[in-house]
């Protein structure tokens, strides 16, 4: 004990005051860590619309689907409605009832928007993993992987097998308007209804 007191006194004499927090820290699920979530955005950007990039809105829609596997079957049925290969598409995904209740998800223009998206995008941007591009009128901002981001995507693919499997169903391009329409008109209504039924 004397050694500890001597250490504390020595630190204090140097003008540094030790502070020990005995409160139990809150456990953060890996899903909620910015680093993990940002890496999954790299997977989305690496699999879809790689030449032109993606808008924030479609990124949020696809991220929502990856986090809530329960809605993936419904989404595929709507996205490929009337197509002969829809059953083949359904058979390639793992069907679960996973629905993530997250207080950081809000309705923004009916899109399920995560309040941490801008932090995640900044995390990627300052590490030179993504680039922003706009049209000639300096509007219609889209996000795409930088050269460094593409290298990271190639390393990350094996870490996110279920996400890669789901996104592979849509080839290199997911129809933006159709995706946002399905998410904003069909899926969120049931999601928000389920959220409302939970006793917070």
């Amino acid at each position: 004990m004397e050694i500890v007191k001597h250490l504390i006194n020595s630190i204090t004499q140097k003008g540094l005051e030790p502070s020990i927090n005995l409160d139990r820290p809150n456990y953060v699920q890996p899903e909620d860590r910015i680093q993990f979530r940002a890496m999954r955005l790299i997977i989305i950007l690496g699999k879809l619309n790689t030449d032109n990039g993606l808008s924030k809105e479609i990124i949020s829609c696809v991220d929502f689907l990856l986090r809530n596997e329960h809605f993936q079957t419904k989404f595929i049925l709507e996205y490929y409605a009337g197509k002969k290969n829809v059953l083949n598409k359904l058979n390639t995904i793992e069907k679960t009832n996973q629905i993530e209740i997250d207080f950081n998800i809000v309705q923004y223009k009916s899109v399920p928007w995560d309040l941490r998206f801008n932090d995640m995008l900044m995390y990627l941007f300052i590490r030179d993993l993504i680039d922003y591009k706009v049209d000639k009128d300096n509007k219609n901002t889209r996000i795409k992987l930088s050269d460094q981001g593409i290298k990271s995507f190639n390393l990350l693919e094996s870490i996110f097998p279920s996400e890669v499997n789901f996104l592979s169903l849509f080839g290199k391009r997911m129809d933006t308007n159709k995706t946002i329409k399905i998410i904003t008109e069909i899926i969120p209504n049931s999601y928000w209804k389920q959220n409302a039924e939970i006793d917070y």
Side-chain angles (χ1 to χ4, degrees), residues 91-153:
N91 288 333
T92 62
I93 65 166
E94 185 178 337
K95 298 167 183 66
T96 72
N97 290 320
Q98 175 184 322
I99 298 178
E100 185 177 286
I101 304 304
D102 190 336
F103 298 117
N104 291 295
I105 302 290
V106 298
Q107 268 182 307
Y108 174 69
K109 299 179 180 177
S110 296
V111 170
W113 180 260
D114 191 317
L115 295 172
R116 297 160 296 186
F117 265 130
N118 288 331
D119 292 335
M120 290 180 235
L121 294 171
M122 179 60 73
Y123 177 91
L124 295 173
F125 182 71
I126 63 175
R127 287 163 176 79
D128 193 30
L129 296 171
I130 61 171
D131 290 322
Y132 287 86
K133 57 180 287 189
V134 293
D135 60 20
K136 61 182 180 180
D137 296 321
N138 210 28
K139 295 180 180 177
N140 192 26
T141 303
R142 299 178 78 79
I143 302 161
K144 59 182 293 185
L145 291 180
S146 64
D147 291 340
Q148 186 62 38
I150 292 170
K151 292 178 185 176
S152 296
F153 166 72

Side-chain angles (χ1 to χ4, degrees), residues 143-177:
I143 302 161
K144 59 182 293 185
L145 291 180
S146 64
D147 291 340
Q148 186 62 38
I150 292 170
K151 292 178 185 176
S152 296
F153 166 72
N154 292 330
L155 295 172
L156 289 167
E157 272 191 287
S158 61
I159 300 174
F160 293 88
S162 61
E163 288 87 346
V164 167
N165 183 50
F166 175 74
L167 294 174
S168 295
L169 298 177
F170 306 96
K172 279 289 183 186
R173 179 170 175 77
M174 183 180 273
D175 187 302
T176 299
N177 293 331

Side-chain angles (χ1 to χ4, degrees), residues 1-18:
M1 197 62 183
E2 287 299 320
I3 295 175
V4 174
K5 286 181 180 177
H6 175 71
L7 178 62
I8 292 173
N9 288 334
S10 298
I11 293 172
T12 304
Q13 286 171 6
K14 292 185 177 183
L16 304 171
E17 199 166 312

Side-chain angles (χ1 to χ4, degrees), residues 79-91:
Y79 192 90
Y80 289 107
K83 301 285 176 69
K84 294 179 181 179
N85 63 346
V86 67
L87 292 179
N88 293 333
K89 300 278 188 187
L90 287 176
N91 288 333

Side-chain angles (χ1 to χ4, degrees), residues 61 74 78 107 109-112 177-190 192:
C61 289
K74 188 172 188 177
E78 294 292 334
Q107 268 182 307
K109 299 179 180 177
S110 296
V111 170
N177 293 331
K178 187 190 289 188
T179 298
I180 292 176
K181 184 173 189 293
I182 294 170
I183 290 288
T184 57
E185 293 184 7
I186 297 170
I187 292 176
N189 287 336
S190 57
W192 304 123

